[in-house]
Amino acid sequence: MKIIAVTSCPIGLAHTYMAGAALKKAAKKKELELRVETQGTMGIRDRLTEKEIKEAQLLILATDITPLEPERFRNIPTFKVTTSRIIKNSDSVLQDAIESIQTEEE
Amino acid sequence: MQLDGIITRNTIDLQLFAETKEEALEKLADMLYKDSRLSDIECFLKDVYQRETTGTTDMGIGVAIPHGKSEAVLHTSVAIGRLTTPLRWDLKIAGQLQEKPVYAIFLLAVSIDNQSTTHLELISSIASLLINESFIVDLQNATSKEMLLDSIQKHLGELE
């Protein structure tokens, strides 16, 4: 399964990058392919490519403020969550996100 | 990745005594002020509290990361305080009673005038260290400032 994620927070200094790192860690544990784009004080970093967005089966949207360029992500099954929930428990967030699209498929 | 003076011996207190969040913030800001990193403690803390009102900076993992981008910051810095007695950062988070007390505080002070990308990258990388279990073990057990600084350097190196 190919997963993409976008993280952001009000000041864009801490939560954005911690949540990004936590998601990567959780995905590695589950051996899943996951790419994170951070939208913080340094602007969009590790920007998701068109190809990555097109191929993604799931978008984890952890944007505590309005995401930048959201029109890129139309038509992708989306799981919304706060950055703080990811920081506290990235493993269960990732599991919930995956289950959310599996339920939809049934 | 070099620390570039963002964290030094002078910005670490491994035996921070504070009974409240306010007291902890004041002591950490004072440490930065004494090291000529802030021009005005009150002005800086005002910006830090402004951020606190938009949502808690207690990460729910025993560490709080209060932060302020402020005109009063002369040099972008991180003050680290490890508390002698853990404290409750916020009583409630999203309406829920906060169970886990905070044992360490990373106070991020970012300069408005000189927002070098290198420094912002460092700050974000230092925040990311806190989800690394091996770094957390070192943070809890470091018996000297040098040990903590070495561990920060080591783990930042692994991020690259």
Side-chain angles (χ1 to χ4, degrees):
Chain A
M1 178 185 287
K2 289 190 175 171
I3 306 171
I4 54 174
V6 179
T7 61
S8 75
C9 62
I11 305 244
L13 272 179
H15 289 75
T16 301
Y17 303 99
M18 287 178 75
L23 276 176
K24 283 186 209 164
K25 193 178 97 179
K28 203 173 168 189
K29 226 189 265 179
K30 285 193 202 298
E31 296 180 356
L32 287 168
E33 231 181 285
L34 182 143
R35 269 269 292 125
V36 181
E37 171 179 301
T38 52
Q39 300 185 351
T41 187
M42 294 178 280
I44 295 183
R45 279 283 170 114
D46 299 323
R47 178 187 276 276
L48 293 163
T49 64
E50 267 179 46
K51 184 167 177 276
E52 283 168 335
I53 295 170
K54 208 174 147 195
E55 289 176 354
Q57 288 144 289
L58 166 63
L59 165 69
I60 297 176
L61 200 58
T63 46
D64 298 347
I65 55 170
T66 316
L68 302 169
E69 303 175 30
E71 64 283 355
R72 291 178 291 161
F73 307 118
R74 270 188 217 136
N75 307 324
I76 307 174
T78 303
F79 184 79
K80 285 189 186 173
V81 64
T82 59
T83 53
S84 51
R85 227 193 110 202
I86 293 176
I87 293 164
K88 262 181 268 181
N89 203 337
S90 52
D91 292 334
S92 79
V93 167
L94 190 56
Q95 189 60 39
D96 290 352
I98 292 166
E99 280 169 15
S100 77
I101 58 164
Q102 283 165 346
T103 332
E104 270 172 37
E105 278 166 9
E106 274 162 20
Chain B
M1 202 180 272
Q2 291 299 312
L3 274 177
D4 208 22
I6 277 190
I7 307 174
T8 68
R9 284 182 52 86
N10 297 341
T11 70
I12 299 176
D13 185 351
L14 292 178
Q15 278 167 314
L16 178 65
F17 175 79
E19 286 178 320
T20 62
K21 165 178 168 174
E22 290 72 21
E23 192 184 350
L25 281 173
E26 208 153 293
K27 284 184 171 171
L28 290 173
D30 189 54
M31 191 161 70
L32 294 179
Y33 180 75
K34 283 185 178 142
D35 202 38
S36 311
R37 292 163 180 272
L38 301 179
S39 60
D40 185 323
I41 293 182
E42 245 172 70
C43 173
F44 171 67
L45 284 179
K46 209 182 101 214
D47 289 322
V48 171
Y49 280 114
Q50 177 64 37
R51 167 61 188 85
E52 292 289 311
T53 60
T54 67
T56 185
T57 55
D58 177 351
M59 296 294 173
I61 51 174
V63 183
I65 311 189
H67 44 285
K69 269 191 207 173
S70 173
E71 279 174 14
V73 177
L74 300 172
H75 301 287
T76 294
S77 307
V78 179
I80 301 177
R82 197 175 64 192
L83 292 156
T84 50
T85 312
L87 63 82
R88 298 220 185 276
W89 196 249
D90 290 312
L91 284 181
K92 283 182 176 177
I93 291 177
Q96 283 185 319
L97 208 63
Q98 185 61 356
E99 300 284 338
K100 196 170 183 167
V102 158
Y103 68 85
I105 301 158
F106 280 55
L107 173 61
L108 315 180
V110 175
S111 151
I112 283 186
D113 300 328
N114 181 17
Q115 285 211 21
S116 98
T117 317
T118 322
H119 284 176
L120 293 175
E121 267 171 12
L122 259 174
I123 295 268
S124 64
S125 302
I126 290 162
S128 308
L129 289 186
L130 295 169
I131 62 122
N132 181 328
E133 281 120 9
S134 140
F135 175 68
I136 291 295
V137 169
D138 288 351
L139 172 64
Q140 289 170 335
N141 298 319
T143 49
S144 71
K145 295 177 182 187
E146 282 72 22
M147 273 177 79
L148 184 57
L149 280 168
D150 284 349
S151 169
I152 292 170
Q153 287 279 12
K154 185 185 123 205
H155 287 94
L156 281 178
E158 286 170 7
L159 285 177
E160 282 164 16

